[in-house]
Structure formats: C-alpha cells, structure tokens
Amino acid sequence: MPLRVPQAPVAALRSVLTALSSPTAVREARTPALLGAQGPATPELPLPVHVLDRVTAQGVAATRLAGWRFHIRCGERVVAAAETMLTPDGWAFSHFFEGPYVASTERALRQAESVAQPYQPRLLSVPELYMLTLWLHGDCTADAGAGHPAANDLLVPLAPAPPGIAAHRPHRVAELLPVLTHRVTPTRLLGSPA
C-alpha cells in the first residue's frame, strides 16, 4: 500500500470518539447521513488539514496546520466526516459534516493507492479559491502536522474544484502552485497607482 496514513494526535481521536458517543453532538450536526446511519460509527483515515496562507517570492508555500479530519464509517460506507481543531487546551472536536468533499476525498485516496511511489496523505485548503486538495507528501516519515509542499509532492484537486482546474487530476506542486498563486494574487486595476 503506497499511502502511509499518519497517526492523528490521541486527543484529536478521543474528541471525535466522544462526539460520536454524544447523541446531542450527532443530532445537532445536521448531517442526515450520520443521523440515519444504522450501526456503530467509527472514525478512520485521519488526515491533517493544512491551510495555504501564502506563497513566498521564492515559490515556497507557507502553510499551517488547521486541524485533523476523520472519515466516519458506518458499516461499508463513509457517511460523514469529523473535524478537530487545536485550542489553547489541546485538540478538540469541531464539527461533523457531509457533502461532496467527503466522497471526493475517498475517490482521490483510492486513485492514490495505485501510484507506485509511497506518499503521506494530507489535505491542503486554499481558502481564497474555495479549494481543497489531497496533498500527497513524498516524505512518509515527516511529521504530518508540519512542513510545506515540496516541488515533487502531488496535489489532487477535490471536486468541486474552481473553474479551470480539473478535479481528481494529480499535479506536481511545482506545476500547480504558480497557477494558484496567480489566481489568489490580486491584480492591480487599470489606472491605479503602481
């Protein structure tokens, strides 16, 4: 198996397990698939969620760890996801959700399984473009909560992707980062001072 799924912080996993065992947390989640799920719900596939804050002049992406995301499985299918966040007191449950990114992440992970090179899967969010990618990091032994995308890492845009960027098509960071940088860099208006 080429994907080396990182181990989530114990406190993050514990917070999701506690939320899953709370009828109030599940009911308030407003996720019909999770509410209607039959049988036990279990968290799996912990993925660190990094946010792309900016790209430096040298082309290095400045990212920060924003949380950990877990797929919630009931029986044979994933019905939702749970996200945790870092607080001053440590890792805490944030929310349950469902939607296209859950299924798209599953699809991208299945596609990545067929790649010969081993990767550490992560998620990379680009808030300015309302974009989420599966980030396949080439250093499988790296701390999953740290680091920046390397030029040879792969980014797989998840559906729905921004216009002009194909979902589920892997791109090397060195190829996709300049496109993203150009799109998030505000252009000067004609006639505005330099």
Side-chain angles (χ1 to χ4, degrees):
M1 177 162 104
L3 293 183
R4 306 285 193 265
V5 177
Q7 198 164 18
V10 173
L13 176 59
R14 189 178 313 122
S15 72
V16 171
L17 290 169
T18 300
L20 281 170
S21 67
S22 165
T24 304
V26 171
R27 189 173 48 254
E28 289 179 357
R30 297 192 180 105
T31 54
L34 183 58
L35 280 169
Q38 300 296 317
T42 56
E44 62 178 31
L45 282 171
L47 296 173
V49 180
H50 294 262
V51 175
L52 178 67
D53 285 327
R54 65 178 169 30
V55 178
T56 67
Q58 297 78 25
V60 176
T63 62
R64 62 183 163 79
L65 180 65
W68 282 82
R69 183 172 295 174
F70 298 80
H71 281 191
I72 305 300
R73 181 172 295 280
C74 282
E76 294 298 314
R77 64 187 200 105
V78 172
V79 296
E83 196 147 314
T84 63
M85 62 183 180
L86 191 57
T87 69
D89 295 325
W91 289 101
F93 171 75
S94 175
H95 61 282
F96 291 115
F97 65 95
E98 58 185 62
Y101 284 133
V102 176
S104 187
T105 302
E106 267 197 300
R107 177 180 170 189
L109 287 166
R110 280 193 308 271
Q111 287 176 313
E113 287 288 339
S114 65
V115 178
Q117 178 181 339
Y119 286 103
Q120 181 188 80
R122 303 172 176 197
L123 293 172
L124 180 66
S125 173
V126 185
E128 291 87 356
L129 296 177
Y130 301 101
M131 180 179 181
L132 185 64
T133 69
L134 177 64
W135 168 14
L136 299 172
H137 191 52
D139 183 358
C140 294
T141 62
D143 175 1
H148 306 290
N152 286 329
D153 287 354
L154 294 177
L155 295 177
V156 182
L158 301 179
I165 297 176
H168 297 286
R169 182 173 172 258
H171 301 272
R172 295 255 175 241
V173 167
E175 298 165 357
L176 187 58
L177 204 55
V179 173
L180 300 181
T181 304
H182 182 267
R183 287 189 171 202
V184 298
T185 303
T187 55
R188 285 188 294 132
L189 296 174
L190 292 175
S192 64

